[in-house]
Structures are given as structure tokens and as C-alpha cells.
Amino acid sequence: MLMASLFTHLAFFTLLANFCYGFNPRLLAGSGGWSSARASWYGNPSGAGSDGGACGYQNAVEEAPYSSLITAAASSLYKSGSGCGTCYQVKCTYAEVCSGKPVTVVITDECPGCDSQSILFDLSGTSFGTMARPGGEGQLRNVGIEQIQYKRVNCNFPGATVSFRVDPGSNPNYFAAAIEHEDGNGIAGVELKRAGSGGTWIKMQPSWGAVWKADLPNNYPAPFSVRLTGNSQKKIVANNVIPANYSPGKTYRSVVNF
């Protein structure tokens, strides 16, 4: 009995020693809501990657509140455009030059081939460099592809309100717009109504990227109000945000946000 007990204790301590020897703190990187991924970068080293890319934001990606802190995402995060405008925090800790501090980025583009390369984020040069220690931006970008940690967060653009970039194809029978700068965790639904009509809301459909569209009834001119439903099911209304004499291609800013 004594020998059996000694062998049992010896086996336990051997197992414990092997566990401690193989323990790696980085295996706990997913704790606290963080997950591991790989990230690359594209475009100008200090730029915004591309002019809006697959979400249709165009040059808004370079301007506040996006301010070039944006990313193209693998198709699994882009989600056929429903991921446009959603926010993630990213940080790198593996390279010596990494600061370990989180940077909030917005999905504004798609990286269709990233999934096959096990890459989730193709960051703008600005976003990628911001993960570095001060003065190490160029050194980190030279790494090319970096192991990072990420988590989904609500967007928060202090002082910004939801904007509507009218699609160039809009006309008296059809209206479409890209929705920009929304706080929160993404948009679940968009509706349109002629201001002052007192009628029912027209349900808009996803078109591409951040663009939503609707076929208009006969004799249904602007101005339009737009009602947004967030993924949290909160609703906001941008009253009369699209004026009667709106111009396709122009952006109109509301006075509301989530």
C-alpha cells in the first residue's frame, strides 16, 4: 500500500512538472474577450489602404472620424457587407517593437483571399503602424504579417453623427445610400419615408457594402427621413436628412447617432 501511494504521488508530481514546463502565458491570449489572429497591411505606409474599398465609403476613410484607422477584413468578418462600419480593437505583443496597446479600427473594405491565408485583418498602413511603440511604426510594417489579438467592440465616434452618401444611381424611382459613422455594433435594418407624408416606412434592402437601396413608389419625391435599427434593436430617426434637391454622390449628415 505504501509503495502504491508513493508511485501515485510521484506520477502526480511528474505530470505537474511537465505541465509547468510546457506552460506558455500566450496560450491565455483569448482571455478577457481577446482572440488570436494574423494581420497584414496594404496601401500607403501612412495611408488609409484604399479609397473606401468594398464598403463604398470612398474618401471618407481618410477623414474624421475614421481618420485612416481602418481595415479590410477577411470575408468571414466582412459578411457580404454587413460587417461594414463595425469596429474591432487590435493589438500586437509578439514582436519586440509592438506596444501591446489596443487600437480601434473600422471595417471599410474586404480582403477576399485573406481567409485562405489565415489572415483576418488587412490593416491600413496607418492602423498597422499604430500598434507599434513610438518611433517603431516603420519597423513593425517591415514585419509584413504579424500575430495579433483582437476583439469586437462597439463603435464610438464622439461628436460624429450618422451620414448618408447618396449613391450615384439614385433617381426618382430608386434611392440608395451608403451609411457612415454610426456608433454601436452595426445596422440591422434601414427604412425610408417621404418627410411629412404620414405614410408607412419603406423597407430598404442591402445592396452592396454599406449601401442600402429601395425602389420608390410613383410620385414619391424627397425630402426623405431615414430610420435605422441597430443590431441592439435600438432605433433612431434622421428626420428630413435627404433634402428635396439632393444630389447623387453627395453626403448628407444627420443630427443623430446611436
Side-chain angles (χ1 to χ4, degrees), residues 122-240:
D122 196 13
L123 299 161
S124 70
T126 297
S127 298
F128 200 90
T130 305
M131 295 191 297
R133 298 179 186 273
E137 296 85 357
Q139 184 181 347
L140 182 59
R141 283 190 287 264
N142 286 338
V143 173
I145 296 177
E146 178 58 42
Q147 188 75 20
I148 65 163
Q149 295 170 278
Y150 76 98
K151 65 178 177 180
R152 175 79 176 269
V153 295
N154 284 346
C155 292
N156 181 24
F157 303 117
T161 53
V162 179
S163 298
F164 300 86
R165 183 185 296 270
V166 179
D167 190 81
S170 296
N171 58 63
N173 303 308
Y174 169 86
F175 182 80
I179 301 171
E180 304 171 350
H181 310 149
E182 69 275 11
D183 288 342
N185 63 347
I187 294 176
V190 183
E191 299 162 284
L192 181 78
K193 185 170 71 171
R194 182 183 173 193
S197 67
T200 58
W201 290 93
I202 297 172
K203 186 176 181 180
M204 301 184 74
Q205 302 294 332
S207 179
W208 63 276
V211 178
W212 292 71
K213 64 180 181 179
D215 292 323
L216 301 178
N218 292 330
N219 192 27
Y220 203 82
F224 298 136
S225 295
V226 182
R227 183 165 68 182
L228 306 178
T229 302
N231 283 322
S232 65
Q233 297 306 303
K234 180 180 179 179
K235 296 180 183 292
I236 59 173
V237 177
N239 285 309
N240 301 342

Side-chain angles (χ1 to χ4, degrees), residues 73-95:
S75 299
S76 54
L77 293 185
Y78 178 77
K79 298 178 180 178
S80 299
S82 66
C84 288
T86 55
C87 292
Y88 288 82
Q89 283 189 337
V90 295
K91 63 180 179 179
C92 72
T93 57
Y94 291 86

Side-chain angles (χ1 to χ4, degrees), residues 58-81:
Q58 299 182 22
N59 60 355
V61 297
E62 301 172 0
E63 304 166 352
Y66 297 143
S67 303
S68 298
L69 291 173
I70 56 88
T71 185
S75 299
S76 54
L77 293 185
Y78 178 77
K79 298 178 180 178
S80 299

